[in-house]
């Protein structure tokens, strides 16, 4: 659960990161939290990021998908889009997340699709729509990330899975 075997990145983006020694598909494992929650990234570009998450294991006491789980999926997808927009010289840091929960889900998979609302030099904002298996909207979210230049201390904090030389944190 949480393994990223089928992520689709534009080849030019993969090549750009590879030139810096970063294995981009390995980097997008959705992180430790995303892995525990079963987040799967299916497609990723600055224009569109798609991912899924199981409802099972991510519910609140009433058996419904936890709103915080929807927020994790939304922030993961919007952050990936923002990072890809920012390019190899910047990192994306979430500064605002808003989620509106429309309906409960008790089972199956939810799918999130992040698309840009604004992509600037210093910020990027993505709308994330999360739907159930019947394509009914479960959650509408918006994430704004600050884009800042990478400095030396950031480079050492890349997840080890994403570093081709294994020199991650």
């Amino acid at each position: 659960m949480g393994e990223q075997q089928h992520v689709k990145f534009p080849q030019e983006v993969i090549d750009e990161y590879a030139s810096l020694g970063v294995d981009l598909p390995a980097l997008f494992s959705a992180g430790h939290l995303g892995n525990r929650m079963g987040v799967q990234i299916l497609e990723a570009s600055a224009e569109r990021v798609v991912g899924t998450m199981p409802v099972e294991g991510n519910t609140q006491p009433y058996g419904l998908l936890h709103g915080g789980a929807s927020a994790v999926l939304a922030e993961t997808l919007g952050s990936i889009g923002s990072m890809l927009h920012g390019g190899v010289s910047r990192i994306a840091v979430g500064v605002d997340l808003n989620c509106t929960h429309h309906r409960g889900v008790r089972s199956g998979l939810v799918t999130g699709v992040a698309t840009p609302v604004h992509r600037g030099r210093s910020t990027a904002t993505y709308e994330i729509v999360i739907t159930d298996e019947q394509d009914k909207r479960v959650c509408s979210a918006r994430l704004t990330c600050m884009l800042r230049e990478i400095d030396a201390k950031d480079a050492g904090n890349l997840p080890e899975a994403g570093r081709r030389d294994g020199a991650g944190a």
Side-chain angles (χ1 to χ4, degrees):
M1 206 184 256
E3 294 177 12
Q4 304 305 305
Q5 300 173 6
H6 304 291
V7 181
K8 297 178 187 173
F9 291 99
Q11 189 60 49
E12 64 273 9
V13 174
I14 292 172
D15 294 343
E16 183 179 18
Y17 281 84
S19 71
L20 298 173
V22 176
D23 181 351
L24 190 60
L27 181 62
F28 287 114
S29 64
H32 294 294
L33 178 60
N35 283 338
R36 278 195 305 270
M37 296 180 76
V39 172
Q40 295 276 322
I41 307 303
L42 305 177
E43 175 186 333
S45 72
E47 292 77 32
R48 177 178 157 95
V49 182
V50 180
T52 62
M53 181 180 65
V55 174
E56 184 179 338
N58 294 316
T59 58
Q60 38 89 313
Y62 299 117
L64 298 169
L65 178 65
H66 195 291
S70 293
V72 167
L73 179 59
E75 184 147 358
T76 299
L77 300 178
S79 293
I80 290 170
S82 295
M83 200 269 318
L84 290 171
H85 165 66
V88 296
S89 65
R90 296 185 182 167
I91 61 170
V93 180
V95 295
D96 182 64
L97 175 65
N98 174 281
C99 298
T100 301
H101 307 288
H102 304 292
R103 68 176 63 245
V105 182
R106 292 187 180 278
S107 63
L109 279 179
V110 291
T111 300
V113 178
T115 55
V117 174
H118 166 77
R119 291 186 296 167
R121 287 183 297 135
S122 61
T123 63
T125 301
Y126 280 75
E127 176 186 40
I128 304 94
V129 175
I130 300 173
T131 57
D132 64 14
E133 291 178 315
Q134 288 72 47
D135 206 29
K136 292 183 178 176
R137 191 178 290 224
V138 172
C139 177
S140 298
R142 187 190 68 246
L143 174 72
T144 298
C145 288
M146 176 180 64
L147 303 173
R148 66 176 183 79
E149 294 297 319
I150 293 177
D151 58 31
K153 70 177 187 242
D154 296 322
N157 288 324
L158 275 176
E160 192 167 330
R163 302 277 311 169
R164 288 181 181 233
D165 62 5

